[in-house]
Amino acid sequence: LDEGYIKKIYQEICEHVEEYKKVLKPDEEAFDNWAKIICHPKFKLIKNLVYLLEQEDTDFQDKEMIFSIFNHILLINPNSANQMVKFDSLPKILVDYLFQYKKEKGKNDVCAITTLSYTFKMDQYQKLINLELIIIILDSLTIVKEQNVLESLIRILIDINSIYPKPESNLFLEAYHTNENAHLVGEVILRLLNSETDQNAIIKILLCMKCLMDKEKKDIFYSKDLEAFIDISIRYLESTDNNDLRCFVLDVLQRITKFNEFFHIMYKTKELQDLLDDYIKSDKVSEKAKNKSRSILNNLAKNLRKQLLIKSGIKVDDKKDDEEEDEYEEGEEEEDDEQEEKKQ
């Protein structure tokens, strides 16, 4: 367990990876087998590397090399993450290293970020989360090359958002508001929402979207992405019997239909009106979901009325209407919050 050992292992992994990349039609099965062999618990490679990270005399350069090895291991054998998460010491070592790397080099270590994306578990990391870590994750969204790593980082941010009960204490919203990569969050969140099947995960994604819109006071999507979200919303609202999921979808729709971005496209307005009318009439839909449906219908009606006035050449001043609507929605949300507190 010395510097020579680390370099030897690192060079061997790099040589095999480079060799694999150069071959036009590589023997994927043989390469995967090699990756699994070197990471097998019986060889204690990962255990020994974590042991080195735990030692006080392991210097910064050696740590950098170890996280580079982890990066290679995880990309060629993702199941190795199951070994890494067993070490309770790794989260703090990794976070401290990320802070040190940023301080010394003025940028983020993509290898350590990849390790974080594969090994993050909220129960291990929650006490380590602060504004600096969230900013590092946001800044890293443009330096990771693998799509699955990018999506994992966004999932981490979604999980972080869910631990804050109030927006004024939400460090994720604070970091997002001024970050240059904020636009990527909306794009990837939409992809995750479209592919996710677990209802609890879907609710977390929708909660994150709601929080971001409330913070920014505007839509977080481009026009095409906005249309995609409307399609996804209609699909969920037509298929789910879960009233909590319904309410979260309606929460986001309630906000989107108030923004100018939606007014300019007015996408699938008729389908939304018909669907929400059915919700209001249904005995299976909760009163809370019905109230949100009425609010969305009111937004749609205002948008249609505004379009007619503009086409007629009449100047539209809807500031007063918006203020009244905001007061109505704030009162409604306060009532919902009281009910939720009682439920908890």
Side-chain angles (χ1 to χ4, degrees):
L1 296 177
D2 56 19
E3 187 176 348
Y5 166 81
I6 298 172
K7 287 183 177 178
K8 183 179 177 182
I9 294 294
Y10 178 71
Q11 287 167 356
E12 181 181 347
I13 293 173
C14 288
E15 285 170 8
H16 278 76
V17 171
E18 290 306 315
E19 181 183 338
Y20 174 67
K21 289 177 181 176
K22 289 177 183 177
V23 180
L24 186 62
K25 293 183 179 179
D27 185 347
E28 293 187 14
E29 185 177 351
F31 185 79
D32 288 346
N33 286 337
W34 169 81
K36 291 173 184 176
I37 287 170
I38 66 164
C39 298
H40 195 283
K42 71 180 181 181
F43 294 116
K44 301 182 180 180
L45 170 62
I46 292 172
K47 182 179 179 180
N48 285 336
L49 291 174
V50 173
Y51 172 81
L52 282 172
L53 287 172
E54 291 173 338
Q55 305 312 303
E56 291 183 3
D57 58 348
T58 302
D59 63 25
F60 177 75
Q61 288 183 332
D62 284 346
K63 288 179 181 178
E64 186 176 2
M65 195 174 288
I66 291 170
F67 282 115
S68 183
I69 294 174
F70 281 170
N71 176 67
H72 280 305
I73 289 173
L74 289 165
L75 291 178
I76 59 182
N77 187 15
N79 289 333
S80 300
N82 295 330
Q83 291 184 59
M84 296 180 188
V85 297
K86 292 178 181 178
F87 298 97
D88 294 333
S89 61
L90 185 58
K92 188 175 188 313
I93 292 170
L94 176 53
V95 171
D96 288 345
Y97 169 78
L98 283 169
F99 293 162
Q100 185 182 5
Y101 192 96
K102 182 70 177 285
K103 182 179 179 180
E104 293 195 12
K105 300 201 174 186
K107 58 182 181 179
N108 295 326
D109 183 354
V110 68
C111 295
I113 284 292
T114 300
T115 305
L116 177 71
S117 74
Y118 277 94
T119 61
F120 183 89
K121 288 184 177 296
M122 183 57 77
D123 59 340
Q124 291 181 321
Y125 279 86
Q126 185 162 351
K127 292 181 179 178
L128 302 170
I129 293 170
N130 58 22
L131 187 61
E132 185 180 358
L133 178 61
I134 297 171
I135 291 172
I136 286 175
I137 296 172
L138 282 167
D139 288 345
S140 300
L141 297 180
T142 50
I143 66 172
V144 295
K145 296 179 180 178
E146 291 76 19
Q147 192 63 38
N148 65 314
V149 175
L150 175 61
E151 291 180 357
S152 293
L153 292 177
I154 296 296
R155 286 187 185 278
I156 291 172
L157 293 172
I158 291 169
D159 284 343
I160 290 174
N161 175 74
S162 68
I163 67 175
Y164 296 106
K166 294 182 179 180
E168 54 267 24
S169 61
N170 191 322
L171 296 179
F172 165 61
L173 296 181
E174 183 180 341
Y176 171 90
H177 185 62
T178 56
N179 195 274
E180 293 180 355
N181 293 335
H183 66 282
L184 266 176
V185 177
E187 292 176 18
V188 181
I189 277 181
L190 191 62
R191 287 206 300 269
L192 295 176
L193 184 66
N194 190 39
S195 60
E196 187 58 70
T197 55
D198 180 76
Q199 289 196 342
N200 289 329
I202 292 170
I203 286 174
K204 274 189 179 181
I205 294 171
L206 292 165
L207 173 63
C208 186
M209 292 170 64
K210 173 187 170 183
C211 291
L212 290 175
M213 289 180 186
D214 286 347
K215 175 70 175 178
E216 299 300 301
K217 303 298 181 187
K218 64 179 182 179
D219 199 355
I220 59 171
F221 302 124
Y222 297 114
S223 295
K224 288 294 180 184
D225 290 338
L226 183 54
E227 291 179 7
F229 176 75
I230 299 296
D231 287 331
I232 295 168
S233 298
I234 291 173
R235 187 179 79 216
Y236 281 146
L237 292 173
E238 286 178 337
S239 61
T240 187
D241 293 325
N242 185 321
N243 267 306
D244 288 336
L245 177 55
R246 282 174 179 156
C247 285
F248 275 102
V249 174
L250 293 169
D251 265 337
V252 179
L253 277 175
Q254 194 175 25
R255 284 152 177 78
I256 281 178
T257 51
K258 284 187 65 179
F259 295 138
N260 284 331
E261 290 86 351
F262 179 79
F263 171 75
H264 291 304
I265 63 169
M266 291 294 284
Y267 182 69
K268 290 196 174 179
T269 303
K270 183 65 168 63
E271 287 90 332
L272 281 172
Q273 287 176 321
D274 291 343
L275 179 57
L276 296 174
D277 280 334
D278 290 340
Y279 259 41
I280 292 171
K281 297 172 186 175
S282 174
D283 295 331
K284 297 180 180 180
V285 176
S286 68
E287 198 59 38
K288 182 178 177 181
K290 288 181 180 182
N291 286 334
K292 293 181 185 298
S293 298
R294 292 186 185 98
S295 179
I296 296 168
L297 286 170
N298 184 46
N299 290 342
L300 295 176
K302 283 172 63 179
N303 283 331
L304 290 170
R305 186 167 64 249
K306 185 177 174 182
Q307 279 189 341
L308 289 173
L309 291 172
I310 291 173
K311 286 179 181 179
S312 302
I314 300 172
K315 187 177 179 180
V316 178
D317 182 12
D318 53 2
K319 186 177 179 181
K320 184 177 179 182
D321 289 340
D322 287 343
E323 289 174 354
E324 290 175 355
E325 181 69 18
D326 287 341
E327 288 175 6
Y328 167 76
E329 287 178 5
E330 284 173 9
E332 185 187 79
E333 289 195 358
E334 285 174 6
E335 187 177 326
D336 290 342
D337 291 341
E338 288 176 7
Q339 290 178 357
E340 189 64 29
E341 286 176 10
K342 288 178 181 176
K343 183 179 177 182
Q344 289 175 353

